[in-house]
Amino acid sequence: MPPAGFHHVEIWVADLALVEPSWKWLFGELGWEPYQNWPEGRSWRIGDSYLVVEQSSAVRPGLPYDRMRPGLNHLAVHAPDRAAVDRVHRVGPQHGWRRLFASAYPHAGGTAHYAAYLVDAAGFEVEIVAPAGDEVTEG
């Protein structure tokens, strides 16, 4: 059977130095490993998939990223368990992430969906999703 899921995702940013610490922390918390490192970018890998955050010289100048415009609205990634979702939600603001839908945490996506929604300093949203049926209590 061929691999499933995405091969890689690239997120182009206007300021790598602004967002790299947040992404590095987040993916470290979720068990992703550093993968590539070059002056304009970083990547992290889990399984056969990897994610790139890059300050490409090909980025067109213009308005800052707006997740409400056509294009990528958010990236959703798996967490190993509910405890990881809780930890990321709790500690994320200390690492450059702003909480979204905090008043509805952890069920902003519905009662059967356990997730944290975070936004980095550049406006990119990440949804951290616990496995279905994981009944670890919130902590």
Side-chain angles (χ1 to χ4, degrees):
M1 177 182 273
F6 68 82
H7 182 271
H8 73 277
V9 171
E10 289 189 30
I11 297 177
W12 282 10
V13 298
D15 186 346
L16 180 63
L18 176 68
V19 300
E20 181 202 359
S22 300
W23 289 87
K24 179 180 179 180
W25 172 81
L26 179 65
F27 284 125
E29 288 292 306
L30 297 175
W32 293 56
E33 297 291 330
Y35 180 48
Q36 300 162 315
N37 186 344
W38 66 103
E40 298 83 23
R42 307 288 180 270
S43 70
W44 296 268
R45 179 178 210 129
I46 192 160
D48 292 333
S49 301
Y50 65 97
L51 181 125
V52 175
V53 176
E54 180 178 5
Q55 184 176 331
S56 172
S57 62
V59 170
R60 292 184 184 148
L63 296 173
Y65 175 76
D66 182 347
R67 68 183 188 84
M68 302 303 282
R69 294 185 187 276
L72 179 71
N73 174 265
H74 71 280
L75 181 70
V77 297
H78 294 285
D81 51 38
R82 285 186 179 192
V85 174
D86 292 337
R87 186 174 57 254
V88 166
H89 184 261
R90 184 177 63 250
V91 184
Q94 298 169 28
H95 297 276
W97 294 96
R98 179 175 51 86
R99 295 180 189 128
L100 280 180
F101 319 119
S103 64
Y105 179 78
H107 299 293
T111 57
H113 188 71
Y114 198 100
Y117 297 81
L118 304 171
V119 176
D120 77 0
F124 288 96
E125 178 186 342
V126 178
E127 177 181 352
I128 314 302
V129 183
D134 180 17
E135 301 304 324
V136 173
T137 58
E138 190 173 335

